[in-house]
Amino acid sequence: MAGKFELNKSKNDKFFFSLLAGNGQKILGSEMYEAKASALNGIESVKKNASQDGRFDRLTGKDGSPYFTLKASNGQVIGNSQMYASTAARDAGIESCKNNAPGATTTDNT
């Protein structure tokens, strides 16, 4: 089953998206956007940049939990992962993002 993006609207009328794996697990989440068009552009940017390993930053949270961010070509962060229990799990999350994002469809829940 292929991954998909879900576009949602928050209670304060901002837009955000999540990339979900084929099993429905969240791989990546976006920032909040003022405009729907900006969120849709963010989705396109994730699709374009996820196939490039150099766009992923492998990081460690304050509590020691590994996570990753995905950056656009201009260096701006376009998505953040969850916190993982191990670096191996984080790296598997990156691979899932690489595999799911480029061909993912978008479900508009706004």
Side-chain angles (χ1 to χ4, degrees), residues 39-99:
L40 290 170
N41 286 340
I43 290 171
E44 290 306 312
S45 185
V46 170
K47 287 181 177 185
K48 184 173 21 173
N49 289 286
S51 62
Q52 300 178 50
D53 190 69
R55 300 276 195 247
F56 290 92
D57 282 340
R58 293 154 175 87
L59 305 166
T60 304
K62 292 178 184 175
D63 67 353
S65 297
Y67 71 102
F68 67 88
T69 61
L70 175 62
K71 291 184 176 178
S73 58
N74 65 3
Q76 182 179 350
V77 174
I78 50 178
N80 297 293
S81 75
Q82 64 181 357
M83 295 295 191
Y84 289 95
S86 68
T87 55
R90 178 202 56 209
D91 293 346
I94 290 171
E95 289 305 311
S96 183
C97 189
K98 288 179 185 178
N99 292 331

